[in-house]
Amino acid sequence: MADVGSSRARYRRIMRFAIRYMLQAWWYELFLPRIGLSRFAARGRAARLTNIARNFHTLALSLGGLMIKVGQFMSSRLDVLPPEITKELEGLQDEVPPVPFPAIRELAEAELGLPLDRAYEWVDPSPVAAASLGQAHRARLLPADAVDAGFTDVVVKIQRPGIDEIVDVDLHALRRVARYLSSVRVISDHVDLPGLVEEFAHTSMLEIDYLHEALNAERFAENFARDPRVGVPAIAWERTTRRVLTLSDVTAIKINDVEALRAAGIDPTEVAHTFATVMFDQLFVDGYFHADPHPGNIFVTPLPGGADGGVAGSPPWRLTFIDFGMMGEVPDRLRHGLQQLLIAVAGRNGRQLVASIRDVGVLLPSADTNELERAMTELFARFGGMGFAELQRVDPKEFRDFAVEFGDVVRSLPFQLPENFLLIVRAISLTSGMCSALDPEFNIWSSVEPYAAQLLRDERGNVLQAFGAEAVSVAGIVARMPRRLDDLATRLENGRVAVETPRLEQRMRGLERMGRRVVSATLFAGLLIGGILLRSQEVVFGTILMVASVPALLHALFAGWATRR
């Protein structure tokens, strides 16, 4: 169990890292542009962001716990984080040194209430896998238990000792950092960070509850009970608790082991397309999906008898999913919105895509989506229909310039994340990457189009109704158009066309009242913090900056006092 001293040290280390780079970001991204040094601030931005991501990568590997999970989530947030950060973190793997077996044995025996040699016939002291939250060991059930369970060989998943305390410390630090960042308006206007952290916290707490994971596995197995493409390990409930999970050993060929697949006579291209379809089924039909489909959690299992062992029309192998600690649910309304989004993507319809994004609740109602519609229309026009291999042949500069422009447009829009949307993004991102690794020529559009076509067929009645309603609406607009144009022309002739912007006028009046005080307060804070940061290396210059901040502070205080009088 983690002691109080180590927990405090861990918390302080996380907070020091966060505060250091928050101050750096404030100095370069907010203060320097305010005093006319935008070009200077932008000059080294890419290198600074890469350095932050690289240092976080090192911190996450050093601390383990939830920090690795945080890095993995950040690497999938291409929509809100700069590419310098996501690129540096995309290779972060949840692989840490294993806990010595005596400590694992002690925890397992305390949970099961009996010695391991009485709970299992045999347990391998060497783990088959070790991650930040737990590790797995191969074992064999006792004969009597094997008869009841229906299988003998098992994998026992055991939590790392003290992981509860580590998770509590990490979440406490993340919540505090989110509160700090939310006080910056440019951040709070675009994303609800505290809400994002709470969703992450909820997911993390469920992930360390192995009883919950066992229930997830059974629900997932029930959804695919009649689907020969998918396999799920069975649970040995008599040897399962909140911190110990025993399930049938389903180890087979890792999905990303292309050489082993080919040696077994399995076509990686077929695996890629089947995997994409299975994930689409989870997301858009079942509404219950595996949110962590990385290569370590999916096996390709050859069926006995080869092609003769499979069901007619299905491949002679199946995809076997493991590790159900991170699962997501898509509410009916959101699932319908995602289906419409998928149809828009298949139809290369930028306007419909943006409307679908708004409908699923990602964009706030106040968002001005004209620029996003333009970007998406251009995206489909320039890159629509291209597979991964074709995109690799695009001029890197053209693709990079467009990606930067598109990223800037998205990051400038106010948005919020619906329930479980972070997990949806993660699942789609991992699925796309996996399929492209299996088949460099994999074209995600080819998988989307037939799926979207099926969705359209399933909802044909609704689509026809919507088309009819749209036709009536358009007819009404056309009928009223001549009168509206005549009225507008009359107003223009009389000079009676006015543009009202009450919110802007109110904001300008507020800025006029507060302008001088804000400038003085900002100048004071910038000079003071700049002096503090520089004083450790340049004592004289740092002290001068700190002293120079005093007049600005006095001006801000007395200007406010004079205004109140």
Side-chain angles (χ1 to χ4, degrees):
M1 181 176 293
D3 57 60
V4 175
S6 63
S7 295
R8 288 177 177 172
R10 181 185 183 88
Y11 177 80
R12 285 195 297 267
R13 189 174 173 188
I14 296 171
M15 294 305 302
R16 277 199 304 268
F17 180 92
I19 291 173
R20 174 186 176 186
Y21 288 110
M22 282 192 292
L23 286 174
Q24 183 190 92
W26 180 86
W27 176 261
Y28 284 103
E29 306 300 331
L30 295 179
F31 178 71
L32 292 183
R34 280 179 179 268
I35 60 174
L37 296 177
S38 298
R39 288 189 178 182
F40 174 78
R43 191 176 304 162
R45 179 175 292 123
R48 287 196 304 273
L49 292 174
T50 300
N51 185 58
I52 292 172
R54 186 175 295 128
N55 288 340
F56 182 84
H57 190 288
T58 302
L59 177 76
L61 290 177
S62 173
L63 292 178
L66 290 185
M67 291 300 103
I68 292 179
K69 300 290 184 183
V70 171
Q72 291 174 333
F73 272 110
M74 290 169 63
S75 70
S76 66
R77 298 318 311 270
L78 300 173
D79 52 344
V80 295
L81 290 175
E84 293 86 356
I85 290 180
T86 56
K87 181 69 176 177
E88 187 67 31
L89 295 178
E90 66 182 6
L92 186 61
Q93 298 294 322
D94 192 359
E95 296 176 357
V96 298
V99 175
F101 188 66
I104 288 291
R105 173 190 287 274
E106 181 180 353
L107 186 147
E109 291 181 344
E111 278 293 302
L112 296 172
L114 70 166
L116 281 188
D117 55 6
R118 290 176 52 196
Y120 303 95
E121 186 176 69
W122 165 79
V123 178
D124 187 352
S126 300
V128 65
S132 56
L133 303 182
Q135 60 191 55
H137 293 257
R138 283 196 173 91
R140 188 177 300 115
L141 292 177
L142 294 168
D145 293 334
V147 170
D148 293 336
F151 50 88
T152 301
D153 294 328
V154 295
V155 170
V156 184
K157 189 174 176 180
I158 305 168
Q159 279 188 12
R160 296 178 75 92
I163 194 62
D164 287 333
E165 291 83 355
I166 290 174
V167 168
D168 287 342
V169 169
D170 290 357
L171 290 178
H172 182 47
L174 290 174
R175 288 183 175 113
R176 190 168 184 180
V177 171
R179 287 198 301 271
Y180 287 162
L181 291 175
S182 293
S183 64
V184 181
R185 183 158 187 178
V186 70
I187 295 176
S188 61
D189 283 349
H190 290 81
V191 62
D192 178 12
L193 273 181
L196 198 63
V197 170
E198 289 309 314
E199 181 180 347
F200 179 76
H202 177 70
T203 301
S204 300
M205 295 305 294
L206 292 179
E207 197 170 354
I208 60 174
D209 183 352
Y210 288 169
L211 288 174
H212 187 267
E213 179 176 344
L215 291 172
N216 288 343
E218 291 203 335
R219 178 178 174 183
F220 189 86
E222 183 179 347
N223 285 352
F224 286 96
R226 290 175 293 278
D227 191 332
R229 302 171 301 169
V230 178
V232 181
I235 308 298
W237 284 102
E238 291 298 320
R239 294 293 178 260
T240 295
T241 70
R242 183 178 174 275
R243 293 181 175 87
V244 176
L245 173 62
T246 304
L247 60 164
S248 59
D249 188 353
V250 293
T251 306
I253 304 171
K254 275 191 174 184
I255 190 172
N256 65 337
D257 192 342
V258 175
E259 292 185 3
L261 290 174
R262 288 179 176 147
I266 298 173
D267 183 3
T269 298
E270 188 179 5
V271 173
H273 287 275
T274 301
F275 176 56
T277 304
V278 167
M279 290 303 300
F280 282 152
D281 284 344
Q282 296 174 46
L283 286 162
F284 303 118
V285 178
D286 299 334
Y288 185 70
F289 62 96
H290 196 298
D292 197 21
H294 65 75
N297 286 341
I298 305 163
F299 295 114
V300 178
T301 307
L303 297 176
D308 295 333
V311 177
S314 64
W317 46 266
R318 64 169 172 249
L319 297 170
T320 302
F321 288 76
I322 63 171
D323 194 349
F324 299 90
M326 189 184 296
M327 304 294 291
E329 289 194 63
V330 189
D332 290 341
R333 184 173 178 275
L334 178 57
R335 185 163 70 251
H336 177 74
L338 290 174
Q339 290 172 350
Q340 300 307 309
L341 190 151
L342 187 62
I343 292 170
V345 170
R348 317 287 199 272
N349 190 325
R351 182 180 296 272
Q352 183 183 351
L353 177 62
V354 173
S356 300
I357 292 173
R358 188 192 291 273
D359 289 343
V360 299
V362 174
L363 288 174
L364 296 175
S366 61
D368 182 1
T369 58
N370 290 332
E371 281 299 302
L372 183 59
E373 287 181 7
R374 183 187 65 80
M376 296 310 300
T377 300
E378 189 174 350
L379 173 70
F380 286 134
R382 292 167 65 180
F383 306 115
M386 290 187 180
F388 182 75
E390 293 173 292
L391 289 174
Q392 287 183 317
R393 292 191 287 269
V394 173
D395 181 0
K397 185 178 185 303
E398 178 187 3
F399 191 72
R400 182 170 60 251
D401 290 345
F402 184 86
V404 170
E405 177 186 1
F406 175 66
D408 289 342
V409 169
V410 173
R411 285 188 286 274
S412 68
L413 292 171
F415 68 93
Q416 61 186 2
L417 294 173
E419 180 184 2
N420 264 336
F421 204 81
L422 187 63
L423 296 180
I424 294 172
V425 171
R426 175 177 173 79
I428 293 176
S429 175
L430 289 172
T431 299
S432 176
M434 177 65 66
C435 291
S436 297
L438 286 169
D439 177 15
E441 299 293 331
F442 177 81
N443 190 331
I444 190 68
W445 308 99
S446 298
S447 296
V448 166
E449 285 175 335
Y451 198 87
Q454 181 61 47
L455 290 175
L456 278 172
R457 286 193 293 271
D458 292 343
E459 298 189 354
R460 182 169 296 168
N462 292 334
V463 171
L464 290 175
Q465 290 177 10
F467 179 79
E470 184 72 14
V472 172
S473 176
V474 170
I477 292 173
V478 171
R480 293 190 297 271
M481 187 63 72
R483 182 172 180 178
R484 290 187 175 185
L485 289 174
D486 182 67
D487 183 60
L488 177 59
T490 302
R491 286 171 177 265
L492 287 171
E493 290 174 357
N494 296 334
R496 291 187 291 110
V497 175
V499 179
E500 297 182 0
T501 56
R503 292 183 62 188
L504 179 60
E505 293 170 2
Q506 182 181 2
R507 186 73 177 273
M508 289 301 296
R509 287 195 298 268
L511 289 174
E512 290 172 1
R513 290 194 302 266
M514 299 294 294
R516 283 192 168 86
R517 293 182 63 198
V518 168
V519 170
S520 295
T522 303
L523 185 60
F524 158 70
L527 291 173
L528 179 63
I529 293 177
I532 293 172
L533 292 175
L534 292 174
R535 198 168 186 271
S536 60
Q537 299 175 348
E538 298 287 343
V539 177
V540 176
F541 187 51
T543 303
I544 291 174
L545 286 180
M546 294 173 68
V547 172
S549 70
V550 175
L553 173 63
L554 294 176
H555 180 269
L557 292 175
F558 283 105
W561 177 77
T563 301
R564 288 192 296 270
R565 287 176 62 87

